[in-house]
Amino acid sequence: MKSKPLPTDPMIRELIRHAQNAQIGRRTLLTGAAAGATGLALAACSTGTGELTAAPDESATNKKVRWDNWALYVDVDDAGGYPTIEAFEAQTGINVEYTEAVDDNNTYYAKVKDQLSLGKDIGADVVCLTDWMVARLIRFGYTQKLDRAKMPNLDNLLPSLQDVDFDPGREMSVPWQGGFAGIAWNKEQLPNGIKSVQDLWKPELKGRVGVLSEMRDTMGLIMLDQGVDISGKWGDDEFNAAIDEFSKQVSDGQIRNIKGNAYKEDLVNEDTLAAIVWSGDIVQLNAENGDKWDFVVPDAGGTLWNDNFMVPIGSSAKSNVEEMINYYYDPAVAAEVAAYVNYITPVVGAKEAAAAIDPELANNNLIFPDEQTLSNAFVFRGLDNSEEQKYNTAFQSVLLGAV
């Protein structure tokens, strides 16, 4: 069995270390971690230097953008090039250094948090992270305010995404792609398919199940399976029940792998036959490896999320980034990206542009979801600082015990 990832967030590591030293149980950790988590969260908020100042914008003299993103998250041609990026470079003269640097939100944050807290360059001018992590970075003052006037194509942003609680008026972030967390399975090995999280716990799948290291997706699906509306009012009792289920399946050996984007390799080499996954990845894996997997949003519901462009406080290329964001909000460009990544595009008009590329693409509910599809997808409710640390600590403690 492959080893599981250790928790990478220093705050979470410290809470778990204290819990282990005190020899307390997981439930005690969850119910008792709030005070410690709050203290650590406040410590993380404090930079020691007061309010951070954005780096001077050198876009006029340095035509470069360093873009950190997730794997399989922009269009790629057969030669390994990035067609829309290359077209942007030719159109603007701005050189884009594109890196698949994000495996999951926590591991990426752990790599850059120290530089962010000091207002320093993290080696990227724009990074695409998930709603909840962007909310944290905005809360801590680690992002730069965007200039809407330089991005007129943002008029094409879906109305439902124009004003969000973690970034009113979209001053600090702009959606890149969205998607669902659901379940995928190997059709050759599991011809009867999977319909629910409970199906993952069947004896015949012992040691062949994978889940995501993103707490909100894995716990979100388990909580939904237990009848919890993850978008609504819930608290420690509901999370406790789900963490107990998760811990049981890990300790019993039912779950083999707990990973971020690296879960794809486990499906390909058949270390795992069924897994909690992100929707668009499966379409791409099928295109690259043969039509071997199927994907479903479980009957009880799946999670719905967005990853967002944001400019780190230490970047000196904000105007260049804004020019790139504006480019990707052209519906024709957004459709070209959607045709490859197969995630939900936030751009109005992209569906019509996609129909010109491939009518079947425009009718794909995982890219352009209809109301029925959306009715079975739920956004994990926002957490305050204390809750975020408390629930992340409980989740990561299970990962630590899985090593």
Side-chain angles (χ1 to χ4, degrees):
M1 182 179 294
K2 293 186 177 182
S3 62
K4 309 302 190 298
L6 285 166
T8 53
D9 191 310
M11 292 182 288
I12 292 173
R13 281 182 178 274
E14 186 67 9
L15 282 172
I16 292 173
R17 184 178 68 80
H18 283 302
Q20 290 176 321
N21 290 342
Q23 296 183 327
I24 61 176
R26 186 181 61 262
R27 279 185 171 269
T28 308
L29 175 65
L30 178 59
T31 56
T38 300
L40 287 170
L42 289 173
C45 289
S46 176
T47 64
T49 58
E51 186 174 346
L52 298 174
T53 301
D57 192 349
E58 300 174 356
S59 296
T61 56
N62 188 7
K63 294 295 185 180
K64 182 173 69 175
V65 168
R66 299 163 300 168
W67 182 4
D68 281 0
N69 207 354
W70 304 71
L72 304 179
Y73 221 24
V74 75
D75 51 307
V76 181
D77 60 24
D78 292 338
Y82 304 113
T84 58
I85 291 178
E86 291 166 4
F88 171 74
E89 291 175 323
Q91 177 180 310
T92 64
I94 297 172
N95 175 255
V96 179
E97 295 179 6
Y98 185 80
T99 307
E100 293 181 346
V102 184
D103 184 61
D104 69 20
N105 288 285
N106 277 319
T107 56
Y108 186 84
Y109 178 68
K111 289 189 295 184
V112 302
K113 66 184 293 292
D114 291 340
Q115 298 101 303
L116 285 171
S117 68
L118 297 173
K120 292 184 176 181
D121 179 23
I122 67 168
D125 301 304
V126 62
V127 59
C128 294
L129 298 174
T130 310
D131 293 332
W132 67 270
M133 180 57 76
V134 173
R136 178 193 291 184
L137 299 184
I138 292 173
R139 194 164 66 242
F140 290 0
Y142 294 165
T143 62
Q144 296 191 39
K145 185 176 180 179
L146 300 171
D147 186 348
R148 185 75 179 238
K150 294 181 179 178
M151 300 179 289
N153 282 342
L154 282 191
D155 289 345
N156 297 324
L157 175 60
L158 286 168
S160 61
L161 298 176
Q162 289 180 8
D163 191 46
V164 290
D165 58 358
F166 63 85
D167 186 16
R170 286 291 182 181
E171 293 188 336
M172 301 288 186
S173 67
V174 175
W176 164 239
Q177 304 288 313
F180 305 102
I183 297 173
W185 66 94
N186 186 310
K187 294 189 291 185
E188 296 172 356
Q189 299 290 335
L190 302 171
N192 293 327
I194 299 281
K195 290 186 177 181
S196 70
V197 169
Q198 285 300 309
D199 286 345
L200 295 176
W201 313 148
K202 290 182 176 179
E204 57 266 31
L205 282 177
K206 185 171 183 177
R208 310 301 293 276
V209 174
V211 300
L212 293 167
S213 57
E214 287 285 335
M215 183 271 286
R216 286 161 176 78
D217 289 324
T218 292
M219 296 305 297
L221 260 67
I222 294 174
M223 292 171 73
L224 285 164
D225 191 68
Q226 295 180 342
V228 178
D229 177 3
I230 61 172
S231 300
K233 294 181 179 180
W234 55 267
D236 288 357
D237 288 345
E238 292 80 4
F239 193 87
N240 254 327
I243 205 74
D244 282 347
E245 179 70 25
F246 177 47
S247 180
K248 178 181 184 300
Q249 301 305 331
V250 170
S251 61
D252 287 352
Q254 186 76 17
I255 293 174
R256 178 179 185 128
N257 293 312
I258 309 170
K259 295 184 178 179
N261 256 130
Y263 76 81
K264 300 185 299 297
E265 286 74 24
D266 296 324
L267 289 172
V268 172
N269 63 31
E270 297 189 4
D271 271 359
T272 55
L273 299 181
I276 293 175
V277 304
W278 293 307
S279 52
D281 289 345
I282 303 307
V283 179
Q284 295 173 52
L285 284 177
N286 278 331
E288 295 169 358
N289 300 278
D291 188 24
K292 293 180 62 175
W293 299 276
D294 210 343
F295 172 88
V296 68
V297 174
D299 293 342
T303 62
L304 177 65
W305 43 263
N306 277 283
D307 292 321
N308 307 270
F309 288 115
M310 47 142 287
V311 179
I313 192 71
S315 168
S316 59
K318 186 171 78 76
S319 293
N320 289 339
V321 173
E322 290 162 342
E323 192 165 354
M324 191 180 80
I325 293 173
N326 188 64
Y327 165 79
Y328 275 106
Y329 267 74
D330 181 312
V333 176
E336 189 174 350
V337 173
Y340 181 85
V341 304
N342 292 282
Y343 280 101
I344 301 171
T345 175
V347 180
V348 173
K351 181 175 183 177
E352 291 73 16
I357 299 173
D358 180 358
E360 186 176 343
L361 174 71
N363 292 323
N364 187 330
N365 272 326
L366 296 181
I367 305 172
F368 303 104
D370 58 22
E371 289 303 316
Q372 182 177 354
T373 303
L374 289 172
S375 69
N376 203 36
F378 301 83
V379 176
F380 198 96
R381 74 164 174 83
L383 305 178
D384 61 29
N385 284 343
S386 175
E387 289 177 321
E388 182 177 327
Q389 293 302 323
K390 178 169 53 174
Y391 297 146
N392 264 320
T393 298
F395 181 74
Q396 295 283 348
S397 71
V398 177
L399 270 63
L400 183 63
V403 176

